[in-house]
mmCIF file of all heavy atoms in Angstrom:
data_model
loop_
_atom_site.group_PDB
_atom_site.id
_atom_site.type_symbol
_atom_site.label_atom_id
_atom_site.label_comp_id
_atom_site.label_asym_id
_atom_site.label_seq_id
_atom_site.Cartn_x
_atom_site.Cartn_y
_atom_site.Cartn_z
ATOM 1 N N VAL A 1 -128.707 94.760 -62.945
ATOM 2 C CA VAL A 1 -129.391 95.239 -61.736
ATOM 3 C C VAL A 1 -129.490 94.118 -60.703
ATOM 4 O O VAL A 1 -129.270 94.343 -59.505
ATOM 5 C CB VAL A 1 -130.782 95.810 -62.096
ATOM 6 C CG1 VAL A 1 -131.607 96.069 -60.858
ATOM 7 C CG2 VAL A 1 -130.632 97.074 -62.914
ATOM 8 N N VAL A 2 -129.815 92.907 -61.144
ATOM 9 C CA VAL A 2 -129.914 91.777 -60.221
ATOM 10 C C VAL A 2 -128.560 91.487 -59.584
ATOM 11 O O VAL A 2 -128.465 91.229 -58.370
ATOM 12 C CB VAL A 2 -130.469 90.528 -60.952
ATOM 13 C CG1 VAL A 2 -130.332 89.285 -60.104
ATOM 14 C CG2 VAL A 2 -131.915 90.750 -61.334
ATOM 15 N N ILE A 3 -127.497 91.546 -60.378
ATOM 16 C CA ILE A 3 -126.152 91.306 -59.843
ATOM 17 C C ILE A 3 -125.811 92.343 -58.778
ATOM 18 O O ILE A 3 -125.255 92.010 -57.723
ATOM 19 C CB ILE A 3 -125.111 91.300 -60.979
ATOM 20 C CG1 ILE A 3 -125.232 90.012 -61.778
ATOM 21 C CG2 ILE A 3 -123.697 91.472 -60.447
ATOM 22 C CD1 ILE A 3 -124.397 89.977 -63.042
ATOM 23 N N LEU A 4 -126.136 93.587 -59.027
ATOM 24 C CA LEU A 4 -125.850 94.621 -58.034
ATOM 25 C C LEU A 4 -126.748 94.504 -56.805
ATOM 26 O O LEU A 4 -126.304 94.763 -55.687
ATOM 27 C CB LEU A 4 -125.997 96.004 -58.665
ATOM 28 C CG LEU A 4 -124.924 96.360 -59.689
ATOM 29 C CD1 LEU A 4 -125.242 97.699 -60.342
ATOM 30 C CD2 LEU A 4 -123.551 96.383 -59.053
ATOM 31 N N ALA A 5 -127.995 94.109 -57.005
ATOM 32 C CA ALA A 5 -128.918 93.987 -55.872
ATOM 33 C C ALA A 5 -128.550 92.815 -54.966
ATOM 34 O O ALA A 5 -128.693 92.898 -53.751
ATOM 35 C CB ALA A 5 -130.343 93.837 -56.378
ATOM 36 N N TYR A 6 -128.097 91.738 -55.557
ATOM 37 C CA TYR A 6 -127.714 90.550 -54.796
ATOM 38 C C TYR A 6 -126.202 90.351 -54.881
ATOM 39 O O TYR A 6 -125.716 89.306 -55.297
ATOM 40 C CB TYR A 6 -128.443 89.310 -55.325
ATOM 41 C CG TYR A 6 -129.926 89.395 -55.135
ATOM 42 C CD1 TYR A 6 -130.752 89.699 -56.196
ATOM 43 C CD2 TYR A 6 -130.487 89.173 -53.887
ATOM 44 C CE1 TYR A 6 -132.115 89.788 -56.020
ATOM 45 C CE2 TYR A 6 -131.843 89.258 -53.695
ATOM 46 C CZ TYR A 6 -132.658 89.566 -54.769
ATOM 47 O OH TYR A 6 -134.009 89.657 -54.589
ATOM 48 N N PHE A 7 -125.484 91.370 -54.463
ATOM 49 C CA PHE A 7 -124.028 91.339 -54.611
ATOM 50 C C PHE A 7 -123.388 90.251 -53.760
ATOM 51 O O PHE A 7 -122.349 89.700 -54.139
ATOM 52 C CB PHE A 7 -123.430 92.703 -54.268
ATOM 53 C CG PHE A 7 -121.980 92.800 -54.642
ATOM 54 C CD1 PHE A 7 -121.616 92.888 -55.963
ATOM 55 C CD2 PHE A 7 -121.000 92.775 -53.665
ATOM 56 C CE1 PHE A 7 -120.284 92.956 -56.325
ATOM 57 C CE2 PHE A 7 -119.672 92.846 -54.013
ATOM 58 C CZ PHE A 7 -119.305 92.944 -55.347
ATOM 59 N N ASP A 8 -123.980 89.917 -52.621
ATOM 60 C CA ASP A 8 -123.401 88.873 -51.779
ATOM 61 C C ASP A 8 -123.397 87.526 -52.492
ATOM 62 O O ASP A 8 -122.453 86.750 -52.375
ATOM 63 C CB ASP A 8 -124.134 88.778 -50.446
ATOM 64 C CG ASP A 8 -125.629 88.566 -50.606
ATOM 65 O OD1 ASP A 8 -126.180 88.979 -51.642
ATOM 66 O OD2 ASP A 8 -126.241 87.991 -49.690
ATOM 67 N N VAL A 9 -124.419 87.244 -53.272
ATOM 68 C CA VAL A 9 -124.484 85.995 -54.026
ATOM 69 C C VAL A 9 -123.648 86.094 -55.295
ATOM 70 O O VAL A 9 -122.888 85.180 -55.635
ATOM 71 C CB VAL A 9 -125.949 85.645 -54.375
ATOM 72 C CG1 VAL A 9 -126.028 84.416 -55.253
ATOM 73 C CG2 VAL A 9 -126.758 85.466 -53.109
ATOM 74 N N SER A 10 -123.776 87.217 -55.995
ATOM 75 C CA SER A 10 -123.058 87.355 -57.263
ATOM 76 C C SER A 10 -121.545 87.450 -57.066
ATOM 77 O O SER A 10 -120.786 87.092 -57.971
ATOM 78 C CB SER A 10 -123.581 88.553 -58.048
ATOM 79 O OG SER A 10 -123.419 89.739 -57.302
ATOM 80 N N ALA A 11 -121.102 87.899 -55.898
ATOM 81 C CA ALA A 11 -119.659 87.933 -55.637
ATOM 82 C C ALA A 11 -119.089 86.519 -55.608
ATOM 83 O O ALA A 11 -117.982 86.282 -56.111
ATOM 84 C CB ALA A 11 -119.380 88.652 -54.319
ATOM 85 N N HIS A 12 -119.829 85.578 -55.054
ATOM 86 C CA HIS A 12 -119.376 84.179 -55.065
ATOM 87 C C HIS A 12 -119.315 83.647 -56.489
ATOM 88 O O HIS A 12 -118.368 82.955 -56.860
ATOM 89 C CB HIS A 12 -120.298 83.298 -54.219
ATOM 90 C CG HIS A 12 -120.163 83.508 -52.763
ATOM 91 N ND1 HIS A 12 -119.065 83.082 -52.047
ATOM 92 C CD2 HIS A 12 -120.975 84.109 -51.872
ATOM 93 C CE1 HIS A 12 -119.226 83.408 -50.786
ATOM 94 N NE2 HIS A 12 -120.371 84.043 -50.651
ATOM 95 N N ALA A 13 -120.316 83.977 -57.293
ATOM 96 C CA ALA A 13 -120.340 83.519 -58.682
ATOM 97 C C ALA A 13 -119.179 84.120 -59.469
ATOM 98 O O ALA A 13 -118.526 83.421 -60.251
ATOM 99 C CB ALA A 13 -121.674 83.870 -59.324
ATOM 100 N N LEU A 14 -118.911 85.402 -59.251
ATOM 101 C CA LEU A 14 -117.790 86.039 -59.942
ATOM 102 C C LEU A 14 -116.451 85.444 -59.510
ATOM 103 O O LEU A 14 -115.538 85.295 -60.324
ATOM 104 C CB LEU A 14 -117.806 87.552 -59.699
ATOM 105 C CG LEU A 14 -118.943 88.313 -60.374
ATOM 106 C CD1 LEU A 14 -118.938 89.767 -59.929
ATOM 107 C CD2 LEU A 14 -118.832 88.217 -61.881
ATOM 108 N N LEU A 15 -116.337 85.086 -58.242
ATOM 109 C CA LEU A 15 -115.115 84.445 -57.760
ATOM 110 C C LEU A 15 -114.927 83.080 -58.414
ATOM 111 O O LEU A 15 -113.821 82.725 -58.825
ATOM 112 C CB LEU A 15 -115.154 84.313 -56.242
ATOM 113 C CG LEU A 15 -113.930 83.661 -55.599
ATOM 114 C CD1 LEU A 15 -112.690 84.508 -55.834
ATOM 115 C CD2 LEU A 15 -114.168 83.449 -54.124
ATOM 116 N N LEU A 16 -116.011 82.315 -58.541
ATOM 117 C CA LEU A 16 -115.930 81.012 -59.196
ATOM 118 C C LEU A 16 -115.496 81.159 -60.654
ATOM 119 O O LEU A 16 -114.661 80.389 -61.136
ATOM 120 C CB LEU A 16 -117.276 80.289 -59.116
ATOM 121 C CG LEU A 16 -117.765 79.901 -57.726
ATOM 122 C CD1 LEU A 16 -119.151 79.293 -57.820
ATOM 123 C CD2 LEU A 16 -116.809 78.961 -57.038
ATOM 124 N N VAL A 17 -116.045 82.147 -61.338
ATOM 125 C CA VAL A 17 -115.676 82.379 -62.741
ATOM 126 C C VAL A 17 -114.218 82.815 -62.843
ATOM 127 O O VAL A 17 -113.473 82.327 -63.707
ATOM 128 C CB VAL A 17 -116.613 83.427 -63.385
ATOM 129 C CG1 VAL A 17 -116.112 83.855 -64.753
ATOM 130 C CG2 VAL A 17 -118.022 82.882 -63.499
ATOM 131 N N ALA A 18 -113.783 83.702 -61.964
ATOM 132 C CA ALA A 18 -112.407 84.201 -62.025
ATOM 133 C C ALA A 18 -111.385 83.099 -61.763
ATOM 134 O O ALA A 18 -110.377 82.992 -62.477
ATOM 135 C CB ALA A 18 -112.228 85.339 -61.017
ATOM 136 N N VAL A 19 -111.635 82.266 -60.767
ATOM 137 C CA VAL A 19 -110.690 81.194 -60.459
ATOM 138 C C VAL A 19 -110.669 80.151 -61.574
ATOM 139 O O VAL A 19 -109.605 79.653 -61.951
ATOM 140 C CB VAL A 19 -111.026 80.560 -59.089
ATOM 141 C CG1 VAL A 19 -110.238 79.304 -58.854
ATOM 142 C CG2 VAL A 19 -110.768 81.558 -57.985
ATOM 143 N N ALA A 20 -111.837 79.840 -62.132
ATOM 144 C CA ALA A 20 -111.881 78.891 -63.244
ATOM 145 C C ALA A 20 -111.183 79.465 -64.478
ATOM 146 O O ALA A 20 -110.491 78.730 -65.201
ATOM 147 C CB ALA A 20 -113.327 78.521 -63.569
ATOM 148 N N ALA A 21 -111.335 80.762 -64.713
ATOM 149 C CA ALA A 21 -110.643 81.389 -65.843
ATOM 150 C C ALA A 21 -109.132 81.359 -65.640
ATOM 151 O O ALA A 21 -108.366 81.116 -66.587
ATOM 152 C CB ALA A 21 -111.128 82.828 -66.020
ATOM 153 N N PHE A 22 -108.674 81.587 -64.420
ATOM 154 C CA PHE A 22 -107.250 81.509 -64.116
ATOM 155 C C PHE A 22 -106.711 80.097 -64.360
ATOM 156 O O PHE A 22 -105.652 79.920 -64.970
ATOM 157 C CB PHE A 22 -107.013 81.940 -62.663
ATOM 158 C CG PHE A 22 -105.590 81.846 -62.214
ATOM 159 C CD1 PHE A 22 -104.587 82.529 -62.876
ATOM 160 C CD2 PHE A 22 -105.249 81.073 -61.121
ATOM 161 C CE1 PHE A 22 -103.268 82.438 -62.458
ATOM 162 C CE2 PHE A 22 -103.951 80.974 -60.693
ATOM 163 C CZ PHE A 22 -102.952 81.659 -61.361
ATOM 164 N N ALA A 23 -107.466 79.102 -63.918
ATOM 165 C CA ALA A 23 -107.044 77.715 -64.145
ATOM 166 C C ALA A 23 -107.034 77.394 -65.633
ATOM 167 O O ALA A 23 -106.123 76.727 -66.129
ATOM 168 C CB ALA A 23 -107.966 76.755 -63.395
ATOM 169 N N ARG A 24 -108.030 77.868 -66.372
ATOM 170 C CA ARG A 24 -108.072 77.608 -67.814
ATOM 171 C C ARG A 24 -106.918 78.274 -68.538
ATOM 172 O O ARG A 24 -106.326 77.701 -69.448
ATOM 173 C CB ARG A 24 -109.412 78.075 -68.386
ATOM 174 C CG ARG A 24 -109.507 78.021 -69.885
ATOM 175 C CD ARG A 24 -109.322 76.612 -70.428
ATOM 176 N NE ARG A 24 -109.477 76.609 -71.868
ATOM 177 C CZ ARG A 24 -108.645 76.027 -72.709
ATOM 178 N NH1 ARG A 24 -107.593 75.380 -72.261
ATOM 179 N NH2 ARG A 24 -108.859 76.067 -73.996
ATOM 180 N N LEU A 25 -106.576 79.492 -68.137
ATOM 181 C CA LEU A 25 -105.431 80.166 -68.758
ATOM 182 C C LEU A 25 -104.131 79.409 -68.495
ATOM 183 O O LEU A 25 -103.280 79.283 -69.376
ATOM 184 C CB LEU A 25 -105.324 81.606 -68.254
ATOM 185 C CG LEU A 25 -106.337 82.582 -68.817
ATOM 186 C CD1 LEU A 25 -106.211 83.928 -68.128
ATOM 187 C CD2 LEU A 25 -106.159 82.730 -70.317
ATOM 188 N N ASP A 26 -103.979 78.905 -67.291
ATOM 189 C CA ASP A 26 -102.795 78.099 -66.984
ATOM 190 C C ASP A 26 -102.781 76.800 -67.781
ATOM 191 O O ASP A 26 -101.733 76.368 -68.259
ATOM 192 C CB ASP A 26 -102.717 77.788 -65.493
ATOM 193 C CG ASP A 26 -102.004 78.867 -64.712
ATOM 194 O OD1 ASP A 26 -101.461 79.797 -65.346
ATOM 195 O OD2 ASP A 26 -101.983 78.787 -63.477
ATOM 196 N N LEU A 27 -103.939 76.182 -67.925
ATOM 197 C CA LEU A 27 -104.019 74.963 -68.734
ATOM 198 C C LEU A 27 -103.714 75.259 -70.198
ATOM 199 O O LEU A 27 -103.024 74.489 -70.868
ATOM 200 C CB LEU A 27 -105.401 74.327 -68.603
ATOM 201 C CG LEU A 27 -105.723 73.657 -67.267
ATOM 202 C CD1 LEU A 27 -107.199 73.307 -67.193
ATOM 203 C CD2 LEU A 27 -104.872 72.416 -67.075
ATOM 204 N N GLN A 28 -104.204 76.382 -70.688
ATOM 205 C CA GLN A 28 -103.953 76.756 -72.071
ATOM 206 C C GLN A 28 -102.475 77.085 -72.282
ATOM 207 O O GLN A 28 -101.904 76.736 -73.314
ATOM 208 C CB GLN A 28 -104.815 77.955 -72.444
ATOM 209 C CG GLN A 28 -104.814 78.303 -73.902
ATOM 210 C CD GLN A 28 -105.801 79.406 -74.210
ATOM 211 O OE1 GLN A 28 -106.362 80.034 -73.312
ATOM 212 N NE2 GLN A 28 -106.024 79.650 -75.487
ATOM 213 N N ALA A 29 -101.847 77.731 -71.307
ATOM 214 C CA ALA A 29 -100.422 78.050 -71.419
ATOM 215 C C ALA A 29 -99.569 76.789 -71.430
ATOM 216 O O ALA A 29 -98.474 76.780 -71.996
ATOM 217 C CB ALA A 29 -100.000 78.961 -70.276
ATOM 218 N N ARG A 30 -100.061 75.732 -70.840
ATOM 219 C CA ARG A 30 -99.332 74.461 -70.816
ATOM 220 C C ARG A 30 -99.802 73.509 -71.916
ATOM 221 O O ARG A 30 -99.526 72.318 -71.860
ATOM 222 C CB ARG A 30 -99.462 73.816 -69.449
ATOM 223 C CG ARG A 30 -98.781 74.685 -68.399
ATOM 224 C CD ARG A 30 -99.012 74.178 -67.025
ATOM 225 N NE ARG A 30 -98.598 75.172 -66.071
ATOM 226 C CZ ARG A 30 -97.657 74.985 -65.179
ATOM 227 N NH1 ARG A 30 -97.032 73.842 -65.098
ATOM 228 N NH2 ARG A 30 -97.350 75.944 -64.334
ATOM 229 N N ALA A 31 -100.509 74.052 -72.895
ATOM 230 C CA ALA A 31 -100.930 73.335 -74.100
ATOM 231 C C ALA A 31 -101.819 72.128 -73.805
ATOM 232 O O ALA A 31 -101.680 71.075 -74.415
ATOM 233 C CB ALA A 31 -99.725 72.930 -74.937
ATOM 234 N N VAL A 32 -102.739 72.282 -72.865
ATOM 235 C CA VAL A 32 -103.730 71.242 -72.600
ATOM 236 C C VAL A 32 -104.924 71.534 -73.509
ATOM 237 O O VAL A 32 -105.392 72.673 -73.585
ATOM 238 C CB VAL A 32 -104.157 71.238 -71.111
ATOM 239 C CG1 VAL A 32 -105.238 70.227 -70.848
ATOM 240 C CG2 VAL A 32 -102.945 70.971 -70.236
ATOM 241 N N GLY A 33 -105.424 70.541 -74.193
ATOM 242 C CA GLY A 33 -106.501 70.714 -75.165
ATOM 243 C C GLY A 33 -107.819 71.116 -74.541
ATOM 244 O O GLY A 33 -108.009 71.078 -73.317
ATOM 245 N N GLU A 34 -108.767 71.468 -75.422
ATOM 246 C CA GLU A 34 -110.069 71.948 -74.958
ATOM 247 C C GLU A 34 -110.862 70.865 -74.236
ATOM 248 O O GLU A 34 -111.457 71.121 -73.200
ATOM 249 C CB GLU A 34 -110.878 72.471 -76.143
ATOM 250 C CG GLU A 34 -110.313 73.733 -76.743
ATOM 251 C CD GLU A 34 -111.095 74.199 -77.953
ATOM 252 O OE1 GLU A 34 -112.015 73.478 -78.399
ATOM 253 O OE2 GLU A 34 -110.791 75.290 -78.442
ATOM 254 N N ALA A 35 -110.870 69.665 -74.766
ATOM 255 C CA ALA A 35 -111.646 68.593 -74.137
ATOM 256 C C ALA A 35 -111.063 68.219 -72.776
ATOM 257 O O ALA A 35 -111.802 68.068 -71.796
ATOM 258 C CB ALA A 35 -111.680 67.366 -75.043
ATOM 259 N N LYS A 36 -109.740 68.101 -72.708
ATOM 260 C CA LYS A 36 -109.107 67.793 -71.421
ATOM 261 C C LYS A 36 -109.344 68.921 -70.423
ATOM 262 O O LYS A 36 -109.575 68.671 -69.240
ATOM 263 C CB LYS A 36 -107.610 67.557 -71.592
ATOM 264 C CG LYS A 36 -107.264 66.211 -72.163
ATOM 265 C CD LYS A 36 -105.766 66.032 -72.204
ATOM 266 C CE LYS A 36 -105.396 64.703 -72.820
ATOM 267 N NZ LYS A 36 -103.946 64.545 -72.911
ATOM 268 N N SER A 37 -109.283 70.153 -70.891
ATOM 269 C CA SER A 37 -109.525 71.299 -70.003
ATOM 270 C C SER A 37 -110.937 71.262 -69.440
ATOM 271 O O SER A 37 -111.145 71.538 -68.256
ATOM 272 C CB SER A 37 -109.313 72.612 -70.742
ATOM 273 O OG SER A 37 -107.976 72.777 -71.079
ATOM 274 N N PHE A 38 -111.912 70.946 -70.296
ATOM 275 C CA PHE A 38 -113.289 70.860 -69.821
ATOM 276 C C PHE A 38 -113.423 69.798 -68.742
ATOM 277 O O PHE A 38 -114.020 70.041 -67.692
ATOM 278 C CB PHE A 38 -114.248 70.556 -70.977
ATOM 279 C CG PHE A 38 -115.642 70.244 -70.508
ATOM 280 C CD1 PHE A 38 -116.468 71.257 -70.057
ATOM 281 C CD2 PHE A 38 -116.112 68.942 -70.502
ATOM 282 C CE1 PHE A 38 -117.757 70.975 -69.615
ATOM 283 C CE2 PHE A 38 -117.388 68.646 -70.062
ATOM 284 C CZ PHE A 38 -118.212 69.676 -69.615
ATOM 285 N N PHE A 39 -112.855 68.619 -68.983
ATOM 286 C CA PHE A 39 -112.981 67.543 -67.999
ATOM 287 C C PHE A 39 -112.205 67.844 -66.718
ATOM 288 O O PHE A 39 -112.660 67.515 -65.623
ATOM 289 C CB PHE A 39 -112.552 66.204 -68.605
ATOM 290 C CG PHE A 39 -113.546 65.674 -69.581
ATOM 291 C CD1 PHE A 39 -113.216 65.521 -70.911
ATOM 292 C CD2 PHE A 39 -114.835 65.358 -69.178
ATOM 293 C CE1 PHE A 39 -114.139 65.046 -71.818
ATOM 294 C CE2 PHE A 39 -115.772 64.884 -70.075
ATOM 295 C CZ PHE A 39 -115.424 64.722 -71.410
ATOM 296 N N ILE A 40 -111.068 68.487 -66.842
ATOM 297 C CA ILE A 40 -110.304 68.858 -65.650
ATOM 298 C C ILE A 40 -111.063 69.898 -64.837
ATOM 299 O O ILE A 40 -111.247 69.751 -63.623
ATOM 300 C CB ILE A 40 -108.897 69.369 -66.037
ATOM 301 C CG1 ILE A 40 -108.042 68.220 -66.552
ATOM 302 C CG2 ILE A 40 -108.216 70.063 -64.856
ATOM 303 C CD1 ILE A 40 -106.735 68.650 -67.172
ATOM 304 N N LEU A 41 -111.520 70.965 -65.505
ATOM 305 C CA LEU A 41 -112.232 72.031 -64.789
ATOM 306 C C LEU A 41 -113.533 71.535 -64.169
ATOM 307 O O LEU A 41 -113.813 71.805 -63.002
ATOM 308 C CB LEU A 41 -112.515 73.204 -65.729
ATOM 309 C CG LEU A 41 -111.331 74.044 -66.177
ATOM 310 C CD1 LEU A 41 -111.771 75.075 -67.191
ATOM 311 C CD2 LEU A 41 -110.655 74.701 -65.004
ATOM 312 N N SER A 42 -114.324 70.820 -64.943
ATOM 313 C CA SER A 42 -115.603 70.368 -64.405
ATOM 314 C C SER A 42 -115.412 69.291 -63.344
ATOM 315 O O SER A 42 -116.095 69.301 -62.314
ATOM 316 C CB SER A 42 -116.516 69.870 -65.522
ATOM 317 O OG SER A 42 -115.928 68.787 -66.197
ATOM 318 N N GLY A 43 -114.490 68.381 -63.548
ATOM 319 C CA GLY A 43 -114.255 67.327 -62.565
ATOM 320 C C GLY A 43 -113.755 67.865 -61.238
ATOM 321 O O GLY A 43 -114.257 67.499 -60.170
ATOM 322 N N ILE A 44 -112.780 68.757 -61.298
ATOM 323 C CA ILE A 44 -112.239 69.326 -60.065
ATOM 324 C C ILE A 44 -113.284 70.210 -59.382
ATOM 325 O O ILE A 44 -113.438 70.165 -58.153
ATOM 326 C CB ILE A 44 -110.944 70.105 -60.355
ATOM 327 C CG1 ILE A 44 -109.836 69.119 -60.714
ATOM 328 C CG2 ILE A 44 -110.537 70.978 -59.179
ATOM 329 C CD1 ILE A 44 -108.558 69.767 -61.171
ATOM 330 N N SER A 45 -114.032 70.973 -60.158
ATOM 331 C CA SER A 45 -115.040 71.861 -59.576
ATOM 332 C C SER A 45 -116.125 71.076 -58.846
ATOM 333 O O SER A 45 -116.439 71.362 -57.691
ATOM 334 C CB SER A 45 -115.674 72.719 -60.668
ATOM 335 O OG SER A 45 -114.717 73.505 -61.294
ATOM 336 N N LEU A 46 -116.689 70.088 -59.526
ATOM 337 C CA LEU A 46 -117.790 69.336 -58.918
ATOM 338 C C LEU A 46 -117.309 68.461 -57.757
ATOM 339 O O LEU A 46 -118.005 68.332 -56.744
ATOM 340 C CB LEU A 46 -118.489 68.490 -59.976
ATOM 341 C CG LEU A 46 -119.198 69.287 -61.081
ATOM 342 C CD1 LEU A 46 -119.829 68.354 -62.085
ATOM 343 C CD2 LEU A 46 -120.210 70.250 -60.507
ATOM 344 N N THR A 47 -116.114 67.897 -57.890
ATOM 345 C CA THR A 47 -115.574 67.092 -56.789
ATOM 346 C C THR A 47 -115.303 67.956 -55.566
ATOM 347 O O THR A 47 -115.636 67.566 -54.439
ATOM 348 C CB THR A 47 -114.281 66.382 -57.236
ATOM 349 O OG1 THR A 47 -114.569 65.589 -58.387
ATOM 350 C CG2 THR A 47 -113.712 65.525 -56.137
ATOM 351 N N SER A 48 -114.732 69.122 -55.767
ATOM 352 C CA SER A 48 -114.436 70.014 -54.640
ATOM 353 C C SER A 48 -115.716 70.544 -54.006
ATOM 354 O O SER A 48 -115.784 70.698 -52.786
ATOM 355 C CB SER A 48 -113.574 71.191 -55.114
ATOM 356 O OG SER A 48 -112.374 70.728 -55.652
#
């Protein structure tokens, strides 16, 4: 209900999750490990 009520905010959150999931799938397809994936995703996200 909160997500639907505040769709303008939750749409940004869903976009962040979707793009990060896409990047993780690409990293996984290229055989990048879990620890490296975490540091890549978190480092790029927070830096950007």
Side-chain angles (χ1 to χ4, degrees):
V1 169
V2 169
I3 286 172
L4 290 175
Y6 296 103
F7 190 72
D8 55 333
V9 175
S10 59
H12 288 288
L14 290 174
L15 180 63
L16 295 176
V17 170
V19 170
F22 177 58
R24 173 60 178 132
L25 285 174
D26 273 354
L27 288 169
Q28 189 174 10
R30 295 174 192 241
V32 177
E34 292 177 354
K36 283 184 182 178
S37 293
F38 171 75
F39 287 116
I40 290 170
L41 290 175
S42 61
I44 290 173
S45 299
L46 295 179
T47 303
S48 300

